[in-house]
C-alpha cells in the first residue's frame, strides 16, 4: 500500500519569501512521486515528478523538490513566492512501474500575502 | 506533450437525469484511464480504473451501476452518472496513462468537470 502525508493544510507566505510545502510518503516498492497544482475550478497541472533519476527535481514555475529516501520525504520548494503561486498543491505517489494507481495527499493550500 | 481533453467543463442537470463526461487523449494512446472525484476542499478520491477494452475496476464504496465507465478505444473513456442526485454534485477528473512512440507518458489529467445536480 502507498500513501502520502502533507503536513499543513494551509500555508501562508509573504510575496518574495521561501515556499516550503512538506510531503512524506510511504511505499513498499520504489516510488514515483509527483507534485500537482490546482487552481480554483480547474484540473490538476503537473509541477514536477521524481522517477528515480536525479534526486533533486526541477519543475515548472521555479519549483523544485528533493527526494530523500532516508527521510521518506519529497518536499516542494520555491525560493521566492509570487502572487500567482497561490493555489492548492497536491503531493502524490505511484509505484515506479506505473502499475498502481496514483494516491494523492490531502492537499496544501498556499496563500501568498502581498 | 501528452494532452487529455475533458468535456464538459461544467454541467448542471436535474435530479434523476443522467450525465455523460468524456475524456479524450489527443496525442497518445491511453491504455489506462482513471476517474477521480473531488469534494470541496478535499483531495482526489479514485473512483475506478479502466483499461481499454476491459471492464472497469471500481474502488470500494463506489456504485458501479451508478457510475458507468466505458473505455472502448485507446483515445476515449466516458463516465456516465446515472439517475443523478444532489449528493452526486462534485468535481470529476479523469487521468490517462499511456504510451507514445514507446515512451511512458505517465499520468496526464483532464481539466475536470464540475457537476451540479439540482
Amino acid at each position: 500500500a502507498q500513501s502520502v502525508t502533507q503536513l499543513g493544510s494551509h500555508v501562508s507566505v509573504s510575496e518574495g519569501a521561501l515556499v516550503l510545502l512538506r510531503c512524506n510518503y510511504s511505499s513498499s516498492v520504489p516510488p514515483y512521486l509527483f507534485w500537482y497544482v490546482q487552481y480554483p475550478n480547474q484540473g490538476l497541472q503537473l509541477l514536477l515528478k521524481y522517477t528515480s533519476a536525479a534526486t533533486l527535481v526541477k519543475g515548472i514555475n521555479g519549483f523544485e523538490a528533493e527526494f530523500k529516501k532516508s527521510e521518506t520525504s519529497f518536499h516542494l520548494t520555491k525560493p521566492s513566492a509570487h502572487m500567482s503561486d497561490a493555489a492548492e498543491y497536491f503531493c502524490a505517489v505511484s509505484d515506479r512501474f506505473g502499475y498502481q494507481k496514483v494516491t494523492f495527499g490531502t492537499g496544501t493550500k498556499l496563500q501568498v500575502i502581498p | 506533450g501528452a494532452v487529455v481533453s475533458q468535456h464538459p467543463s461544467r454541467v448542471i442537470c436535474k435530479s434523476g437525469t443522467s450525465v455523460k463526461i468524456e475524456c479524450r487523449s489527443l496525442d497518445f494512446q491511453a491504455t489506462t484511464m482513471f476517474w477521480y472525484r473531488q469534494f470541496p476542499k478535499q483531495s482526489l478520491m479514485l473512483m475506478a480504473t479502466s483499461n481499454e477494452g476491459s471492464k472497469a475496476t471500481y474502488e470500494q464504496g463506489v456504485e458501479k451501476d451508478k457510475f458507468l465507465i466505458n473505455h472502448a478505444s485507446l483515445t476515449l473513456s466516458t463516465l456516465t452518472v446515472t439517475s443523478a442526485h444532489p449528493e452526486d454534485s462534485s468535481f470529476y477528473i479523469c487521468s490517462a496513462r499511456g504510451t507514445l512512440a514507446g515512451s511512458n507518458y505517465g499520468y496526464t489529467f483532464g481539466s475536470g468537470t464540475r457537476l451540479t445536480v439540482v
Side-chain angles (χ1 to χ4, degrees):
Chain A
Q2 298 176 299
S3 65
V4 288
T5 301
Q6 291 184 241
L7 299 176
S9 58
H10 288 80
V11 171
S12 293
V13 299
S14 298
E15 190 175 16
L18 172 71
V19 175
L20 171 61
L21 303 182
R22 298 178 186 275
C23 173
N24 288 88
Y25 71 91
S26 173
S27 177
S28 57
V29 297
Y32 276 175
L33 292 160
F34 310 82
W35 274 100
Y36 288 90
V37 60
Q38 184 181 35
Y39 297 99
N41 293 314
Q42 294 188 29
L44 275 69
Q45 181 181 6
L46 180 66
L47 278 177
L48 49 82
K49 62 181 178 181
Y50 166 75
T51 57
S52 78
T55 56
L56 181 61
V57 182
K58 294 185 183 298
I60 62 172
N61 302 339
F63 285 94
E64 63 182 38
E66 186 172 8
F67 172 71
K68 292 186 177 180
K69 185 177 179 180
S70 61
E71 298 177 9
T72 62
S73 68
F74 191 58
H75 302 330
L76 181 70
T77 61
K78 181 174 180 178
S80 177
H82 192 272
M83 294 300 294
S84 60
D85 295 327
E88 185 137 28
Y89 293 80
F90 292 94
C91 181
V93 63
S94 176
D95 72 302
R96 177 163 294 179
F97 303 102
Y99 292 149
Q100 296 185 20
K101 62 189 180 186
V102 177
T103 301
F104 288 86
T106 51
T108 297
K109 192 166 187 177
L110 176 65
Q111 180 185 20
V112 181
I113 303 168
Chain B
V3 177
V4 172
S5 175
Q6 184 173 346
H7 292 283
S9 57
R10 291 176 178 270
V11 59
I12 301 173
C13 71
K14 291 184 177 180
S15 185
T17 62
S18 295
V19 174
K20 180 183 284 187
I21 302 170
E22 289 190 351
C23 269
R24 294 180 183 272
S25 55
L26 299 185
D27 50 4
F28 68 104
Q29 295 180 326
T31 52
T32 305
M33 194 75 80
F34 304 89
W35 287 93
Y36 292 85
R37 183 175 182 178
Q38 185 181 30
F39 289 103
K41 301 182 180 181
Q42 294 187 28
S43 188
L44 283 74
M45 300 301 295
L46 181 66
M47 299 174 66
T49 302
S50 71
N51 293 298
E52 184 265 338
S54 302
K55 287 186 178 180
T57 302
Y58 290 81
E59 296 298 301
Q60 191 174 8
V62 178
E63 299 176 59
K64 61 180 66 177
D65 294 330
K66 181 168 189 61
F67 299 99
L68 301 179
I69 291 172
N70 183 284
H71 192 172
S73 78
L74 285 171
T75 59
L76 174 64
S77 178
T78 61
L79 166 67
T80 302
V81 182
T82 63
S83 186
H85 288 91
E87 58 266 29
D88 298 323
S89 298
S90 189
F91 194 60
Y92 294 87
I93 306 176
C94 66
S95 172
R97 185 181 72 204
T99 59
L100 180 64
S103 64
N104 184 354
Y105 261 66
Y107 304 89
T108 303
F109 284 81
S111 54
T113 298
R114 172 73 60 193
L115 170 63
T116 303
V117 184
V118 298

